[in-house]
Amino acid sequence: MRLGQLVIDTAPLRSSPPFRLVFAVQVIAMVGTNLTVVAANLQVFALTRSSLQVGLVSLALGVALLFGLLAGGVLADRAGKRMIIVTTRLGMVAVLGVLAWNSALPEPSLTVIYVTAVLAGLVNGLGAPALIAATPALVGADNLAAAGALTAITTQIGAMVGPLLAGFIAEAWGLAVCFAIDAATFLLGALLLAFLPKLGPDGTAEHAHPVRSIAEGFAFLRQSRVVTGLLLIDVFAMVFAMPYVLFPEMGLAVFGGEFATGLLYAAPAVGAFLAALTSGWTATVRASGKVLIGSVLLWGLAVIGFGLSPALWLALVFLALAGAADTISEILRRTLLQHYTPERLLGRVGSMWLAQATTGTAAGNAVMGGLSRVLGSGMALVTGGVACVVGVVGIAIALPELRKATLSGPSAEESERVTEGCKVSFT
């Protein structure tokens, strides 16, 4: 394998000024978002001393996000994507402002945290599908894998830097400052992304009934077993083996304090960042589906190792390995989904993918929080990791189309012929 096939492909950054803008904004936004995630989790745990409550706040956000994503997918296929992206970011400025105000109170309200979690889920859900649907137009079909890897880089930079900053800022200036900084990143992002091209809708769904539009997206999922597999393969990883909800408890009670909590949050991002930097091969690998399945299996095994770790350094190693596996999985799932989905359905199908990923994560946090109360944190992680491995093996056996999926297989244009049998009448 040549070095050029190993290191990350930066072609989208070189060839597309709009994508460069999106990339820069996403790096800044991800740092701010991770400030909020860690600060909110620390605040909820400090108020309740309960990992279950931490998971329930995440679940509230995830349920709201599900409804926002379904609506956002329809919007992305029928309205101007730039307008959606900018407007929803401005909405997040207001939500985070309320969260910062609540945190500055002598006695912060847990109810306000739940309400802002719901509002954040709705607003983010409305905006996220538009950015996914805009990517092929910004970078071109030949650069989808590279764009996916670069998007993963933005996520992992934020996930590495954000938690460490959150731990430091929380101890030095308080949690309210974390939320205020995140609000500033969303405001800056809205101002910069206003310079994107208009990115109008495809037009075919512009006048369709909204329920019919959603139903057509689900009909495509039923017909395309590859895309169905892409959504299902992550369910077992997210629902049964999601360790993040236990980081505050393990960092504070097992490994020594808030800084250790920050390290636990940052460790998966370090592994993910290194995996993304060496992801050039994902655009040319022949057995994309098999590599995807293997990466999700590796995630489950790494979570088991984390649960069995007797020392912080070993826990960090397993979390870094989990992060690397998750990034390869994310790159391949994102790229295969865009490859196999017709352009006119990208908003709706992309929203369903995001809904699966985000609500699955929220449900997984709630499940892991509940398991930890019954089994303890270590055994909860081991049990969840085993369930992940068993479930992924079952999906791989049940969906041979997923095992055979490849970027050199049927394109989105060829998949479009599948949708001719997916037209849904709604009266």
Side-chain angles (χ1 to χ4, degrees):
M1 180 179 291
R2 300 193 305 272
L3 180 61
Q5 294 177 313
L6 179 63
V7 298
I8 191 169
D9 185 358
T10 59
L13 294 177
R14 298 193 306 271
S15 62
S16 173
F19 186 78
R20 284 200 299 271
L21 181 61
V22 170
F23 179 83
V25 168
Q26 285 293 91
V27 170
I28 298 170
M30 287 298 102
V31 172
T33 295
N34 281 277
L35 280 175
T36 290
V37 168
V38 176
N41 287 348
L42 283 171
Q43 186 169 58
V44 172
F45 189 76
L47 291 172
T48 66
R49 309 305 296 180
S50 169
S51 290
L52 178 60
Q53 284 284 357
V54 176
L56 289 176
V57 170
S58 178
L59 180 62
L61 184 147
V63 172
L65 188 60
L66 173 62
F67 289 100
L69 285 169
L70 292 176
V74 175
L75 281 176
D77 286 335
R78 65 168 57 199
K81 298 175 182 63
R82 183 183 65 183
M83 180 193 68
I84 297 170
I85 293 167
V86 171
T87 302
T88 53
R89 285 176 184 268
L90 290 174
M92 280 302 301
V93 174
V95 172
L96 289 163
V98 172
L99 199 55
W101 165 78
N102 180 64
S103 299
L105 295 175
E107 295 183 7
S109 167
L110 183 63
T111 301
V112 170
I113 297 175
Y114 271 98
V115 171
T116 53
V118 171
L119 292 175
L122 289 172
V123 174
N124 274 319
L126 288 172
L131 198 55
I132 285 186
T135 301
L138 295 178
V139 304
D142 294 338
N143 287 320
L144 287 178
L150 290 166
T151 300
I153 282 281
T154 67
T155 302
Q156 304 316 325
I157 290 174
M160 285 188 298
V161 177
L164 294 177
L165 285 177
F168 174 76
I169 293 171
E171 290 185 354
W173 298 298
L175 297 173
V177 177
C178 295
F179 302 132
I181 292 174
D182 193 15
T185 67
F186 271 97
L187 179 59
L188 177 61
L191 295 174
L192 292 176
L193 292 177
F195 292 98
L196 286 175
K198 286 187 176 181
L199 299 169
D202 173 81
T204 56
E206 186 173 357
H207 302 295
H209 192 287
V211 178
R212 178 181 176 183
S213 295
I214 295 173
E216 188 176 2
F218 279 110
F220 174 75
L221 290 183
R222 289 198 301 270
Q223 294 291 326
S224 176
R225 290 173 65 83
V226 172
V227 177
T228 297
L230 294 175
L231 271 63
L232 289 178
I233 191 68
D234 209 37
V235 168
F236 284 94
M238 297 299 97
V239 173
F240 295 106
M242 179 51 58
Y244 293 87
V245 70
L246 298 183
F247 288 173
E249 177 181 344
M250 297 188 74
L252 295 173
V254 179
F255 295 124
E258 290 181 339
F259 186 70
T261 301
L263 289 177
L264 292 179
Y265 276 103
V270 172
F273 183 73
L274 294 175
L277 283 180
T278 56
S279 63
W281 57 273
T282 57
T284 57
V285 65
R286 292 179 181 272
S288 303
K290 292 178 181 177
V291 174
L292 168 62
I293 292 167
S295 66
V296 183
L297 286 173
L298 181 57
W299 163 274
L301 293 172
V303 170
I304 293 173
F306 171 51
L308 296 173
S309 296
L312 177 60
W313 72 266
L314 187 58
L316 297 177
V317 169
F318 278 115
L319 288 175
L321 184 61
D326 186 47
T327 287
I328 297 304
S329 167
E330 179 188 346
I331 292 171
L332 291 174
R333 281 183 290 119
R334 181 187 296 267
T335 307
L336 287 168
L337 182 138
Q338 291 172 331
H339 179 77
Y340 280 91
T341 303
E343 182 179 357
R344 70 185 187 84
L345 291 171
L346 271 174
R348 282 161 284 175
V349 175
S351 73
M352 293 171 191
W353 175 56
L354 289 172
Q356 172 270 318
T358 52
T359 58
T361 298
N365 282 329
V367 168
M368 191 62 72
L371 282 176
S372 72
R373 298 188 68 174
V374 177
L375 304 175
S377 56
M379 283 307 301
L381 290 162
V382 172
T383 302
V386 170
C388 169
V389 170
V390 172
V392 170
V393 170
I395 292 293
I397 293 173
L399 293 175
E401 295 86 354
L402 180 63
R403 298 198 307 269
K404 299 174 183 177
T406 172
L407 293 175
S408 60
S411 65
E413 287 75 17
E414 292 169 306
S415 295
E416 178 68 49
R417 291 199 293 268
V418 175
T419 65
E420 293 302 317
C422 302
K423 303 298 183 182
V424 178
S425 61
F426 186 85
T427 57

